[in-house]
Structure formats: structure tokens, C-alpha cells
Amino acid sequence: MDEKKILLVEDDGAQSALLALELKRLGFRVETAREAPAACARVEKELFDAVVTDLRLGTGDGLTVLASVKSSQPETGVVVITGHGSIDNAVAAMKAGAFDYMTKPVEPEELALSLRKSIEHRDLVGEVRRLRAEVRERQGFAKIISASPAMERVLELVAKVASTDATVLVTGESGTGKELVARAIHENSPRRDGSFVAINCGALPEGLLESELFGHVKGSFTGADRNKRGLFEEASGGTLFLDEITETTPGLQVKLLRALQEGEIRRVGDNHPVKISARVVAASNRDLLKLVAEGKFRDDLYYRLKVFPIAIPPLRERPEDVPILAESFLKRARVRTGSSASRFSPAAIKAMGAYAWPGNVRELEHAVERSLIMASGPRVELADLPPEIAAVSAPTRRKKSRAA
Ligand SMILES: Nc1ncnc2c1ncn2[C@@H]1O[C@H](COP(=O)(O)OP(=O)(O)OP(=O)(O)O)[C@@H](O)[C@H]1O
Ligand SMILES: [Mg+2]
């Protein structure tokens, strides 16, 4: 383990020397400062792994040192040392962002432990930030692959609406990338550090869905043995993705409409309204207008959701996207399967371009994965593609996808 560099700020020369000696013995590299101005000057120029400061100093005080660390190297933890009987000061220090406090006389082992904890904490915070950025890169915009004017327009809409709190309705056939678009909206919004909570409205019966979405209070129904927050509350400050919104019952649609209009919900079994601050993105692969006309979906909810509609065209209407998506799925699947095939034969590309892709991008993703398993050479050949796709290019072109 490399030596961690600590700044020890203490005006009493004897105490400082003693503590520095002990900390060195415990494996730290220790720099010292006697007064607040000197300490502040150092933390402005030099990075420390952690700082220990006495609260009472000859010139200035520990809170000044703390403030200086917080502004010039906010990740660095500060442990504050107080004389006994000054708990109020310790509380003030914690409020001002100290990592820990200790009262005199200080046990060197205890101080060392606290310093190590503060360094560990700093490292974890850094790691979470890095991982978040990585996930964002992988799931956000970066992951929406497109080369077609149609998808360019979709991406423009995503970019425009992301910064607002408007409710978005994403429509498109199954597998066109609705959830991906919903995530991109979240990841590019000011809410990106909040959670993205997704629920498939078609997967649960009405009662369960209601308590999932709105939460419930203890005793509101058999089995409700505790209070439970709903997803609207979980997604506070973030985004709630209501997938397959058309699969909700009329009763639930009324409640959703009320939640969207009033910005508040009621937990099941509770009359108190709870304010919500989740942004809602809904999705559907069905023809909503038709469902409204047939009376199967409430028109008021439809109009409320449709404030900002984004329609993702099916893959067959954006053929420019097929080769670039196929290439990217090939690259990704290669890593996973360890396959040696690194490209498609021209015949395979032609077949994929002519196929109608009823399952859209998801079907393409699976087809590529499968063909990579089938391929034995350096190329994915026509024969390695799923039969319904390979069959397309056999007869004359234009007669599309009869084999499907
Ligand atoms: N433009 C794209 N670039 C990269 N990957 C994509 C793109 N569009 C879709 N995908 C991938 O295709 C798969 C299906 O996408 P997604 O789940 O978002 O579709 P969906 O419209 O929600 O489908 P369903 O209606 O069946 O729920 C996912 O693995 C997604 O990552
Ligand atoms: Mg989906």
C-alpha cells in the first residue's frame, strides 16, 4: 500500500510532534502546519489524502482550514480535533462538512482508523462517479446507434425534450428502441443523478400495479404488513418509465391522470396526498389513437401523455441503420462469445438489408448473435444467418420477406 499523505494542523508544537511521530509509525506520510493561514496556503497548492486539524489554533481556526479544503479539494476528508467540552464546535464542524471529529486526548490508533476510513470513503465516491459515467456512456446517447435521417430526427427530439420536465410519450413497434430512448432522455436530463425507474404496466394485475406505483399504508389490504413507498416516490427527482401504458385498466388510468395533473398521489389506504417530483415517460407499441377511438384508452390521459410525442419508425423504414447496427452488435457479441468472425460477407449484408425485420432492432441483435455462433470462419456468411433472413436474398429482390 502506498503511503498516504496527511496534513496535520496543530498549534501546540509538542502535541503536533508527538502525533506526527505516531502517525508516521502507523504508516502515514505527515506534513505539519501550525496556523490556519499557513495550512490554507498549503491545501491550495498541494493535494493531501486527508487533513487533521485542531479546532482552536493560534491564528485562525480549524473551521477556516476545513472551508479551505472543501473549496480547493472537496474530495479530501477532514478530521477535526477539539478540546474536551466543546461538542457544539464539533457539531458545527460536522455540519460544515468534516468527515469525523475527535476530542482530546487523541488516541493515535483511533485517529489513524478515522483517516483510513475517510480515504476509503473518498475512493468509493470517486469510483461511484466513474462507474456512473461509464454506465451513462453505455446506456445513454452513446448507445443509440443510427445513420438514418429518421433516427436523427428522433435524437433531435430527445435532445430538445431532455432538459425539460415535459411528459413524453414514446411510440413504436416492438423492439424499435423505446426503452433506450426513454433512458437517453433521462441520462441527458438534469435528473440524470436521480433514478430511472421502469415498470411494465402489462405485467401486473390492477391492484398490484396500483400499490407498486402509488405505494400503500400498512393494513390497507391483506398482506400489506408495512408502509411502502411507490415507484412515483422512488423516482422522485428522477424519471418514471411507464412501459406498455395501454395495458392499464380504466380505473388506474384515472389515477394516473390525476397524478400527472395534480403532481400528487395518494398511497393505497391513505387519504393524505403526497407531492411527487418524478418526470414521466410513457411508452406503447400499440395504436393509441385507435384504442382511444374504441374507448379502450381514456382520451384525457392520452392527451395528457401526448404533450411531447416521439414516434420511433420501424427498422424497415430506415434501412441505412441496418448495416451500422449489425456491425456494432457484431463487435459487442464478439467480445462476449470470443468468436473469430469479425465481419459480414457481402451476401449476408445484402440479405439483412432486404429483410423486413418484424421484430425490429431486437430481432437484428439476436440474429447477429446467433449467426456469430454459427460462423466458423473469419466472416459471417449468408448461410450463418437465421434461415428466414438468408432466404430473403435467394429469389429476386423486392419480393420482401415472404419467408418470414
Ligand atoms: N438505435 C439503437 N442502437 C443500439 N441499440 C438499439 C437501438 N435500438 C434498439 N436497440 C437495442 O434493441 C433492443 C430492443 O430495444 P428496446 O428494449 O428499447 O425496445 P422497445 O421498443 O422497448 O421494445 P418492446 O416494445 O418490445 O418493449 C435493446 O437491446 C436495445 O438496446
Ligand atoms: Mg420495451
Side-chain angles (χ1 to χ4, degrees):
M1 204 170 66
D2 61 333
E3 238 179 18
K4 300 297 182 193
K5 190 166 96 174
I6 306 296
L7 178 65
L8 171 63
V9 191
E10 162 70 78
D11 59 336
D12 181 318
Q15 283 195 33
S16 167
L18 195 67
L19 206 50
L21 200 67
E22 291 286 352
L23 287 176
K24 278 178 194 157
R25 188 177 58 79
L26 290 163
F28 294 96
R29 206 175 116 203
V30 186
E31 306 281 323
T32 55
R34 300 286 275 277
E35 289 164 345
C40 295
R42 286 203 73 163
V43 299
E44 261 157 44
K45 286 202 298 278
E46 239 177 292
L47 205 56
F48 292 93
D49 289 303
V51 174
V52 187
T53 180
D54 194 357
L55 258 190
R56 207 171 317 149
L57 298 167
T59 313
D61 61 20
L63 290 180
T64 319
V65 178
L66 174 61
S68 170
V69 174
K70 287 291 117 190
S71 86
S72 61
Q73 39 188 304
E75 269 92 46
T76 306
V78 177
V79 176
V80 164
I81 299 176
T82 68
H84 26 221
S86 49
I87 286 297
D88 286 355
N89 293 335
V91 171
M94 294 303 281
K95 275 199 180 136
F99 177 78
D100 198 2
Y101 73 89
M102 256 161 226
T103 46
K104 287 183 182 179
V106 171
E107 279 298 330
E109 265 87 9
E110 211 180 311
L111 177 58
L113 188 67
S114 176
L115 289 171
R116 289 212 179 88
K117 269 196 201 148
S118 87
I119 293 167
E120 202 177 309
H121 177 78
R122 177 201 63 185
D123 292 347
L124 283 176
V125 168
E127 188 163 346
V128 167
R129 189 170 308 133
R130 265 196 308 285
L131 289 174
R132 276 226 177 107
E134 213 179 297
V135 169
R136 193 172 294 156
E137 177 119 333
R138 249 189 279 146
Q139 303 194 324
F141 254 3
K143 208 179 144 201
I144 298 186
I145 295 155
S146 78
S148 61
M151 278 309 280
E152 276 317 304
R153 272 195 296 280
V154 167
L155 291 182
E156 264 166 40
L157 292 176
V158 168
K160 281 220 174 84
V161 81
S163 59
T164 73
D165 271 344
T167 303
V168 181
L169 176 63
V170 186
T171 55
E173 288 178 12
S174 177
T176 46
K178 295 184 294 295
E179 180 152 358
L180 202 61
V181 161
R183 281 184 190 278
I185 291 171
H186 172 73
E187 293 297 340
N188 287 279
S189 76
R191 301 169 164 266
R192 65 173 71 92
D193 288 324
S195 3
F196 177 87
V197 178
I199 180 158
N200 181 342
C201 300
L204 296 173
E206 177 175 10
L208 264 182
L209 182 61
E210 182 180 357
S211 103
E212 268 306 297
L213 285 172
F214 302 119
H216 62 248
V217 293
K218 192 173 161 176
S220 50
F221 53 86
T222 326
D225 51 1
R226 60 191 181 95
N227 294 329
K228 186 174 170 295
R229 273 155 44 102
L231 297 181
F232 266 100
E233 285 175 81
E234 299 272 311
S236 267
T239 305
L240 178 60
F241 178 52
L242 302 175
D243 205 359
E244 298 194 26
I245 186 78
T246 56
E247 304 313 296
T248 45
T249 57
L252 200 79
Q253 288 171 21
V254 177
K255 287 175 181 149
L256 280 173
L257 178 66
R258 200 186 300 143
L260 289 171
Q261 265 168 354
E262 291 162 15
E264 54 185 42
I265 51 148
R266 280 176 180 72
R267 294 181 184 149
V268 176
D270 192 356
N271 269 328
H272 294 293
V274 180
K275 280 250 165 287
I276 50 167
S277 68
R279 193 250 187 101
V280 171
V281 177
S284 170
N285 56 18
R286 304 185 59 186
D287 184 346
L288 268 140
L289 210 52
K290 184 159 160 262
L291 292 176
V292 169
E294 289 168 356
K296 290 179 184 145
F297 196 80
R298 286 186 66 105
D299 58 350
D300 44 9
L301 179 58
Y302 172 66
Y303 290 111
R304 185 65 191 70
L305 289 172
K306 205 184 78 106
V307 175
F308 198 95
I310 297 183
I312 308 180
L315 191 53
R316 63 184 168 280
E317 286 174 18
R318 42 183 168 111
E320 306 92 327
D321 286 344
V322 173
I324 185 175
L325 281 167
E327 290 291 341
S328 130
F329 292 145
L330 179 72
K331 244 188 243 146
R332 213 188 296 161
R334 264 191 88 197
V335 176
R336 215 165 345 129
T337 58
S339 159
S340 61
S342 61
R343 63 208 149 90
F344 295 98
S345 75
I349 293 198
K350 196 170 156 213
M352 288 191 287
Y355 182 63
W357 301 109
N360 294 292
V361 185
R362 182 181 292 111
E363 185 183 7
L364 175 59
E365 194 175 1
H366 293 166
V368 168
E369 225 164 272
R370 189 199 116 110
S371 61
L372 208 57
I373 294 168
M374 300 298 288
S376 46
R379 285 197 323 193
V380 173
E381 304 292 340
L382 182 64
D384 298 327
L385 294 175
E388 65 277 17
I389 301 167
V392 175
S393 69
T396 50
R397 286 202 68 187
R398 293 197 179 280
K399 273 192 183 173
K400 283 188 185 174
S401 81
R402 253 206 283 156

